[in-house]
Amino acid sequence: MQNRALLIAFHFPPQSESSGIQRTLSFARNLGSFGWKPMVVSAAPMAYERKNASQLASVPADIEVRRPLALDAKRHLGVRGRYPQLLALPDRWISWWLFAVPVALAMVRKHKPAVIWSTFPIATAHLIGLTLQRLTGLPWIADFRDPMLQVDFPSNPLQRRMFAWIERRAIERCTCATFTTRGALESYKARFPAHLHAKFQVIENGYDEQSFALDGAEPATPAGRPGQRPVTLVHSGVLYTEGRDPSAFLNAIADLRRQGRIDAGRLRVVLRAPSEIAYFQALVESCGVADMVAVEPPVPYREALREMLDADGLLVFQGTPFNKQIPAKIYEYFRARKPILGLLDPAGETAGTLTAAGFLDIAAMTSREAIAPVLERFINAIEDGSAHVADDELVASSSRTHRARQLAQLFDQSITSPAVPAGSRPVR
């Protein structure tokens, strides 16, 4: 007989803007293989600015998913985008808490789950988890995909105080707190008392083999490339003007072309779904590389995977503001078994992860002078078939199935020694 786990997650199909849906979705798919039957409390689809109905097909039919109402203060309660701050604390979806708690309590009474799991970066998810833990006394795993408090986030003082309160109470009352990177875990150790450190665990992001299998996708042979077409490099995902700024990279391409070292017949770059398409298209044009760099709109998730598999090399942008984070796409890049060019802060956790995995084509994201020789070396290695790709051991250890096993083990530990905080009131 399987134990049941109640998963609280805002990011879940059909939401399509955040890669976070893949973390919860993969746990929902894979926990059953390790003795745990998941149930999900997510949000009504109207809460999402961007939706992709095709994502719903990836949710297993035998998993109960409840979607209580969640209003977006900006879109549903505001006037011309303006809304009272009190309607958006700790975030714009605080109304979700009002409707999700009774729905979740009804599921607890009916199905008797043995553990609760909630996942940030929507702070309301942890507020729901905190409320449920207090009312039920159940063990609670609080998943911090990103640190709740960062140097410049949240910038609003009142929201920052609210985040700090939720974070502190979550760390104090949860059975275990999980993080996606070692750097994030260490930052929490630095801010919280030593007696809480035993709660902290790392469960990294990963890739979902089922997504690759559903696509019928197998990576091309890593060595070499077909024909004499240009080397195609792909970045799939959001870019920013700070932290993931491709400006220096685009200027490095322009520099190499002026030196006669590359041209449109040798290199093609695809920036897929960077969010502000018009802005980045204008940036590409201002750098004079529009014939070599294409800025493309979002596509369904499996089409994005197909594009990764068809590429000759993959790009990752991760600057200093994200030094304690590793983008989820890194693990998909590993599974694609393609060469990876890192435009990073060399002191960040993403750079350390790539280096440890043998990917040494790394350059400071903000330096066109540093990028140009690394980019040229990277292109040369792809052309002569010597570029490094992930080995079988790295691919296996990066799978979300492996991450689900780790989470199931934490669930097992939490019900054998739950250490429920005083003051909890079990639901009968």
Side-chain angles (χ1 to χ4, degrees):
M1 181 179 295
Q2 291 181 317
N3 286 312
R4 288 182 177 268
L6 180 60
L7 312 184
I8 312 296
F10 181 85
H11 295 126
F12 199 70
Q15 196 268 355
S16 66
E17 191 170 8
S18 169
S19 62
I21 71 167
Q22 300 304 326
R23 186 170 176 86
T24 304
L25 180 59
S26 67
F27 288 152
R29 284 173 171 173
N30 294 312
L31 280 169
S33 299
F34 306 105
W36 287 88
K37 175 73 173 177
M39 308 177 293
V40 179
V41 174
S42 188
M46 66 181 295
Y48 307 137
E49 290 189 66
R50 296 182 183 177
K51 296 181 284 289
N52 181 354
S54 67
Q55 293 274 23
L56 292 169
S58 60
V59 180
D62 62 339
I63 292 178
E64 181 173 351
V65 180
R66 299 292 301 277
R67 303 178 188 275
L69 183 65
L71 301 175
D72 180 343
K74 179 180 178 180
R75 292 185 296 120
H76 301 132
L77 304 176
V79 177
R80 297 180 180 177
R82 299 173 66 88
Y83 51 92
Q85 184 181 3
L86 290 176
L87 297 180
L89 291 174
D91 52 52
R92 287 160 36 198
W93 298 274
I94 181 58
S95 59
W96 183 35
W97 176 82
L98 293 171
F99 299 99
V101 169
V103 167
L105 285 174
M107 296 174 75
V108 169
R109 292 187 176 96
K110 179 179 179 181
H111 298 293
K112 310 297 186 205
V115 68
I116 298 165
W117 176 89
S118 63
T119 183
F120 178 79
I122 298 300
T124 296
H126 277 347
L127 189 59
I128 294 168
L130 174 64
T131 305
L132 293 175
Q133 194 285 317
R134 290 185 64 89
L135 294 176
T136 67
L138 289 170
W140 172 34
I141 311 300
D143 181 49
F144 295 84
R145 303 206 302 262
D146 301 321
M148 285 192 71
L149 291 179
Q150 301 180 43
V151 173
D152 56 355
F153 179 83
S155 58
N156 179 283
L158 187 56
Q159 186 182 36
R160 190 173 183 85
R161 287 197 295 272
M162 189 70 171
F163 266 52
W165 182 87
I166 294 173
E167 180 189 60
R168 183 176 67 255
R169 298 300 288 158
I171 294 297
E172 290 171 350
R173 299 192 65 87
C174 73
T175 308
C176 182
T178 57
F179 307 90
T180 58
T181 69
R182 176 60 55 180
L185 183 150
E186 293 299 330
S187 73
Y188 274 72
K189 281 187 174 182
R191 292 197 295 113
F192 285 90
H195 72 274
L196 296 172
H197 294 181
K199 295 184 177 187
F200 301 162
Q201 302 286 336
V202 172
I203 298 181
E204 296 179 59
N205 283 312
Y207 74 88
D208 192 338
E209 184 62 36
Q210 187 173 354
S211 295
F212 283 84
L214 283 172
D215 197 39
E218 283 301 325
T221 303
R225 62 188 177 86
Q228 296 301 312
R229 59 179 173 79
V231 168
T232 299
L233 307 182
V234 170
H235 177 271
S236 187
V238 177
L239 296 171
Y240 307 106
T241 54
E242 294 184 10
R244 289 182 185 168
D245 183 358
S247 298
F249 172 68
L250 298 174
N251 281 310
I253 293 175
D255 291 344
L256 287 173
R257 178 159 65 182
R258 279 193 294 269
Q259 297 165 14
R261 309 184 80 85
I262 60 172
D263 56 30
R266 190 181 181 203
L267 177 66
R268 176 176 178 266
V269 176
V270 177
L271 303 179
R272 173 68 64 186
S275 73
E276 299 294 336
I277 292 178
Y279 170 83
F280 288 107
Q281 182 62 52
L283 180 62
V284 166
E285 291 172 0
S286 70
C287 293
V289 293
D291 60 331
M292 302 172 69
V293 181
V295 180
E296 301 291 354
V299 294
Y301 178 61
R302 286 185 290 174
E303 288 185 31
L305 292 182
R306 178 78 266 173
E307 186 170 48
M308 292 181 199
L309 292 166
D310 289 340
D312 299 305
L314 301 170
L315 302 170
V316 57
F317 295 89
Q318 193 83 336
T320 302
F322 303 114
N323 271 3
K324 289 184 171 62
Q325 301 173 29
I326 300 173
K329 69 169 65 66
I330 284 290
Y331 306 98
E332 293 170 347
Y333 283 9
F334 290 164
R335 169 57 179 84
R337 291 184 171 88
K338 296 293 181 178
I340 299 172
L341 174 61
L343 292 316
L344 315 163
D345 180 341
E349 189 135 356
T350 302
T353 296
L354 288 177
T355 300
F359 294 93
L360 304 181
D361 293 307
I362 292 171
M365 187 192 73
T366 56
S367 172
R368 64 198 290 178
E369 294 81 10
I371 292 171
V374 175
L375 173 59
E376 184 177 18
R377 183 181 71 204
F378 187 65
I379 295 170
N380 290 339
I382 290 173
E383 289 177 332
D384 66 24
S386 64
H388 179 73
V389 298
D391 59 27
D392 290 344
E393 182 179 358
L394 176 62
V395 170
S397 66
S398 301
S399 75
R400 290 193 187 271
T401 301
H402 179 67
R403 310 304 188 216
R405 180 188 291 110
Q406 292 176 301
L407 182 59
Q409 290 170 349
L410 287 184
F411 286 176
D412 292 340
Q413 294 167 15
S414 73
I415 62 175
T416 56
S417 54
V420 176
S424 300
R425 295 181 291 165
V427 167
R428 302 299 181 186

